[in-house]
Amino acid sequence: MLTKLQINNLAIIENIEINFADGFTVLTGGTGAGKSLVIDSLSLLLGSRASMELIRTGEEKASIKGYFKIHNNRLAAFLDKLDISFIDDELEIERVITKSKSIVRVNGNIISLGDLNKISKYLADIHNQFDFEKILNEDNYLDIIDGFSYDLTTTYINDYQTLLSEFKNKKNAYEELVERKRKIDERRDFYEYQLKELQGLNLIEGEEEEIEEKISLLQNYDKIYSLSQEANEIIHSDFLDKLYELNRLLKSLSKYQNKYDEPIEKIDNHYYELDDLLQELVKGFNNIEYDPNELNDLQNRSSELNSIKHKYKKSIPELIEYINELESSVGEKSNIDIDIEDAKIAMNDAFNKCLTKGKDLSIVRQKLATSIEKELKRNLSDLLLNVNFKIAFNNENDEKESILKENGIDTVDFLIETNVGEGLKPLAKIISGGEASRIMLAFKAIFIKANKVSTVIFDEIDTGISGEAAESVANKIKEISLASQVIAITHMPQVASKSDHHILISKSVKNDRTYTSIKELDLDGKIKEIAHLISGGKVTEKQLEYAKEMVLK
């Protein structure tokens, strides 16, 4: 649960601290006093995006700190992955907003906004006006259903999406092969001509370099022969004998000075190696021959290779690879039809696996939907909405590719009958504002119970409700607070009267600046504030008596 909230330099809030307790806490106050800023602060702590426009005029930064006390093994495991200490189930979250950036700290450690959003799932659920839009938009219905057993459905969804990705990859591979065969069939004669031409050249990788080296030798034969003969004369001179004699003298010197030991060892190690090398050189010099016919043949081959490279705009290794491609496409090695059939089998297998997992997910969702329908009807009845409600699964019967959607195979609609005999109709088309508020509250009540939400924050969920319906909403919020901490902004005396704790938010002007202040009301203060909510203006004795009766009953 949330135990404390500190807000500094956020819009008209300069510096306030609010302590929260278990049970049901309401926040009331005049329009523009800062109630919504408290909710905005909580939203920021739970991962919403920050705007520099929130910084109080004249200040460089705004900051919000929230202190939570929560025991949750999954949260502890996630914090451990982030190397964040989590001692005595206490969590401190801080958001700092500057004019250039927003900083998130959890127990003193800077983390990303994405990680904060993952942490916040374990801390609280905020209801705001956007939630009304969610139940009026069928694109959100699957998410709403999945949310009632998030851990269970997430496992199925992740497995399904992995299989869906595999199917898409197999499908792309199959379609690429089909397209390749189509292009081959369109240009088969041309490809066969290219294959015949290239095969006739007997291309060998590395041949070019070998030809160039031989051409260079033959074109420079005179220079090479002259230099090699000169080198040959040196080799056959007595320098190797002199090296041997030098080594003998050093060995004699080493008897008197050991500094010659290392040079002697090096000469010994390399003498015979050098002798072998010289013999190889001599053999090479003796094998140098000039053949004008060979030079002509090599130059013709080089010209032939350059011509084919220019024609195909490919190097010799690339042309050899292209020959292999042509052989596998139109040559004797062609097996594209077999590849297409294999790819089709693999694609169909991947489709069936994904479809099976999608059906498993659908069964889980339909079981959840049945439970939701039953629980929702009970909650709606508590909220004085005696309606018929059904979650309709409009899944395709044909097992074709279009059935595989990003989040499963399901297409759902929320149907409701608000008047007996009118029949079930889409929720989004017939619901009114006050009914939407109560339906949303009914959904929330189930969600909170199913997911054991620690803290629930309601931002004017009572909008558009009055009279007996308002009393039913107040009772339902009170019921929720028996299992979860509830914090609610309200204008309704019925809701405020059910609270365990009442915080009044007000604003004042000092020295041409607006300031927000908070005050936790005692019983007498609570009665006066509820009387004010009843009257909307000047409070009478009768209204005070009625307020007292509401609070104490």
Side-chain angles (χ1 to χ4, degrees), residues 1-4 20-25 42 46 67-73 75 86 89-91 93 119-127 444-458 477-488 500:
M1 63 175 245
L2 175 67
T3 59
K4 184 164 62 175
F20 292 97
D22 202 359
F24 180 19
T25 300
L42 292 170
L46 296 174
Y67 299 83
F68 295 84
K69 183 83 172 177
I70 182 167
H71 179 76
N72 187 293
N73 292 332
L75 173 60
F86 186 43
D89 299 333
E90 292 181 351
L91 203 65
I93 301 177
I119 290 171
S120 70
K121 292 181 189 295
Y122 301 104
L123 301 179
D125 177 74
I126 292 187
H127 165 84
K444 284 286 183 183
I446 306 171
F447 174 82
I448 292 160
K449 179 181 177 182
N451 291 278
K452 298 179 175 62
V453 178
S454 174
T455 297
V456 188
I457 300 155
F458 290 119
I477 294 175
K478 180 65 176 180
E479 179 187 315
I480 293 171
S481 74
L482 298 177
S484 300
Q485 179 190 37
V486 173
I487 301 167
D500 301 306

Side-chain angles (χ1 to χ4, degrees), residues 157-218:
I157 291 169
N158 289 341
D159 290 345
Y160 169 83
Q161 290 179 338
T162 298
L163 292 171
L164 179 62
S165 178
E166 290 177 6
F167 164 68
K168 287 180 178 179
N169 290 336
K170 301 290 186 187
K171 179 174 178 286
N172 288 337
Y174 168 74
E175 290 177 344
E176 285 173 5
L177 282 170
V178 171
E179 178 62 16
R180 181 180 166 195
K181 185 177 187 303
R182 184 189 67 77
K183 289 180 178 179
I184 289 170
D185 290 342
E186 283 182 354
R187 308 188 69 189
R188 180 172 291 277
D189 291 343
F190 175 65
Y191 289 141
E192 287 177 345
Y193 163 77
Q194 285 187 323
L195 178 60
K196 184 177 180 181
E197 178 183 43
L198 292 171
Q199 284 177 330
L201 291 170
N202 295 317
L203 301 177
I204 301 171
E205 194 162 351
E207 181 186 12
E208 269 188 303
E209 293 76 8
E210 185 179 344
I211 288 173
E212 292 304 317
E213 184 179 348
K214 288 181 178 179
I215 289 174
S216 176
L217 185 150
L218 292 170

